[in-house]
Amino acid sequence: MKIVAIIGARPQFIKHFPFELACKGKVELVTIHTGQHYDANMSEVFFNQLKMTQPDYTLHVGSGAHGEQTGKMMIEIEKIIEETKPDGVVVYGDTNSTLAGALVASKMHIPLFHIEAGLRSFNKKMPEEVNRVLTDHISDLLFVPSAISVQNLENEGVRKGVHIVGDIMKDLVQYVTQNDLLREHVPKERNFYYATIHRPYNTDEKDRLKHVLDVLEQLDKKVVFSLHPRTKNLASSYGLNLEDYTNINFIEPQSYFSNLGYLQNSDGLITDSGGMQKEAFWLKKKCVTIRKETEWRETLEDNANVLVFTDLLKIKEELQKLPKKWDETLYGDGASGSKMIDKIIQFLQ
């Protein structure tokens, strides 16, 4: 059996590694890298650090408006699908790369398998929400992390091919921590909060981004801020001098191991990322998510994660409220990849 997997953005590299491991000796895996994330710190470092197999095809699509970017991807993916003639196509998550691969597979009548299906923020202004909803409705197998995701799909009339397998990102977090792979990547810093902010609603207006930075500047501990290239470019275009923020240590985007190292060593996370909410939970770090909603609603239980959006001054207070317990079983047992590939083989036989 031959499977094409489509990746293109940082979160998908993280999800792809455990799936790649699970495929070994079972199916032939062909990987297409769309080039949606092309900065070396956002792309190449994952392949090097995790020792992932280099992609069979790299498209170098780069940035662009959503329609332009997705369209370019579809044109190139279709050519590769015609050439490789796979038995199925795997897509991850909710990026433009996800939607491009899903649409091509559906149009070419090739079985489509969606990893991390069934998530909903219920915010259609997020391009990720549109991507994930459309992908779910044309997928043949939908691999979901929890019962909430199953209910989300049932509410939309999607019931066939849905399987709870846990979260594949947990596979990698367990792999890394159990094999003590973070040892060389734990920073020297102590007594700090870790921050990653990049979503448009926190960065696309000068006043909003400035307010976020001003609040971080006033926190009771140093803030180590892993600065996404997009956020950095916007701050520069607004005329914001990052050197004025003496309580914030701005650092380059981190490799996967270094990112987890900073998170593991921190006293809490401030983010608008989806995946890092889960990573914080698994590493037992309090998370404050600067969003109105989250796809990962289970992390909100017992105050492990809290949503703060309008009144950012609450961030300091919320960081002090630690959960009484952590659910060790949240999003599976760390064997999601194997469960997925077994279901795919069964489906294709």
Side-chain angles (χ1 to χ4, degrees):
M1 292 179 185
K2 182 189 295 183
I3 302 295
V4 163
I6 297 171
I7 58 177
R10 179 186 185 277
Q12 292 165 334
F13 309 143
I14 296 171
K15 299 178 183 83
H16 183 64
F17 178 67
F19 186 75
E20 180 182 285
L21 291 179
C23 285
K24 288 185 176 180
K26 294 184 176 180
V27 300
E28 178 185 351
L29 185 64
V30 176
T31 304
I32 303 173
H33 182 353
T34 66
Q36 183 173 338
H37 278 175
Y38 50 88
D39 181 278
N41 283 334
M42 301 290 285
S43 176
E44 292 176 20
V45 68
F46 288 92
F47 292 93
N48 297 333
Q49 198 169 64
L50 293 171
K51 295 181 172 57
M52 292 167 59
T53 303
Q54 288 296 318
D56 298 279
Y57 299 89
T58 303
L59 306 185
H60 304 291
V61 169
S63 301
H66 287 288
E68 175 189 9
Q69 188 183 60
T70 306
K72 287 180 178 178
M73 292 176 186
M74 289 181 66
I75 291 169
E76 298 304 318
I77 291 170
E78 185 175 58
K79 294 176 184 176
I80 297 170
I81 296 296
E82 288 177 342
E83 175 187 333
T84 57
K85 295 180 173 53
D87 298 295
V89 172
V90 166
V91 294
Y92 302 88
D94 51 25
T95 70
N96 288 343
S97 299
T98 309
L99 181 60
L103 289 172
V104 170
S106 179
K107 296 282 188 180
M108 298 181 73
H109 308 293
I110 297 171
L112 176 65
F113 314 127
H114 187 196
I115 293 177
E116 200 178 79
L119 302 183
R120 296 293 182 268
S121 67
F122 303 102
N123 179 1
K124 289 291 182 64
K125 292 183 179 180
M126 292 178 64
E128 295 90 347
E129 182 77 352
V130 175
N131 291 341
R132 64 171 71 104
V133 170
L134 293 175
T135 300
D136 281 344
H137 280 261
I138 56 176
S139 293
D140 294 281
L141 292 181
L142 300 95
F143 297 119
V144 306
S146 69
I148 287 180
S149 298
V150 174
Q151 188 61 55
N152 290 338
L153 293 169
E154 287 185 353
N155 292 343
E156 297 172 10
V158 179
R159 296 178 176 83
K160 187 178 179 181
V162 179
H163 302 280
I164 299 179
V165 294
D167 191 291
I168 199 164
M169 287 180 68
K170 188 172 187 178
D171 293 20
L172 185 51
V173 170
Q174 286 196 1
Y175 176 85
V176 167
T177 54
Q178 289 174 359
N179 290 281
D180 199 23
L181 299 181
L182 295 183
R183 182 184 303 174
E184 299 177 4
H185 303 275
V186 174
K188 296 179 181 178
E189 286 93 340
R190 294 289 190 277
N191 197 36
F192 69 93
Y193 299 123
Y194 192 43
T196 67
I197 308 292
H198 73 280
R199 291 193 183 274
Y201 42 71
N202 285 320
T203 60
D204 279 11
E205 294 181 1
K206 177 180 178 179
D207 289 347
R208 176 63 178 184
L209 180 57
K210 184 177 185 302
H211 183 45
V212 170
L213 295 176
D214 288 344
V215 169
L216 299 185
E217 176 72 6
Q218 299 302 316
L219 290 180
D220 58 316
K221 296 181 181 181
K222 193 83 173 179
V223 176
V224 176
F225 193 136
S226 179
L227 196 59
H228 192 287
R230 184 176 184 279
T231 308
K232 182 178 181 179
N233 292 337
L234 286 169
S236 176
S237 70
Y238 299 150
L240 299 177
N241 185 2
L242 300 183
E243 293 181 0
D244 291 341
Y245 296 93
T246 58
N247 191 50
I248 306 176
N249 176 21
F250 294 98
I251 61 175
E252 293 294 316
Q254 297 299 295
S255 67
Y256 178 72
F257 287 160
S258 295
N259 192 61
L260 280 188
Y262 271 104
L263 179 55
Q264 188 178 61
N265 235 34
S266 75
D267 293 319
L269 174 68
I270 305 154
T271 191
D272 57 12
S273 163
M276 289 200 69
Q277 295 173 53
K278 297 176 292 178
E279 291 169 338
F281 191 98
W282 294 324
L283 294 177
K284 300 181 180 179
K285 298 294 178 178
K286 178 60 184 281
C287 182
V288 173
T289 300
I290 306 182
R291 290 173 54 180
K292 294 179 180 178
E293 72 292 305
T294 178
E295 306 86 346
W296 304 103
R297 283 179 278 165
E298 296 90 348
T299 64
L300 301 176
E301 296 179 12
D302 296 314
N303 210 41
N305 181 18
V306 63
L307 302 176
V308 176
F309 188 78
T310 304
D311 186 1
L312 297 185
L313 295 177
K314 290 183 178 180
I315 291 176
K316 181 177 180 179
E317 174 188 350
E318 293 295 344
L319 283 167
Q320 314 303 320
K321 298 178 181 177
L322 302 179
K324 295 180 181 179
K325 62 179 180 178
W326 300 88
D327 181 1
E328 301 281 354
T329 67
L330 185 67
Y331 302 132
D333 58 5
S336 298
S338 295
K339 295 174 184 177
M340 292 176 191
I341 196 61
D342 288 346
K343 292 291 184 184
I344 288 173
I345 291 172
Q346 181 181 357
F347 179 88
L348 293 176
Q349 284 177 338

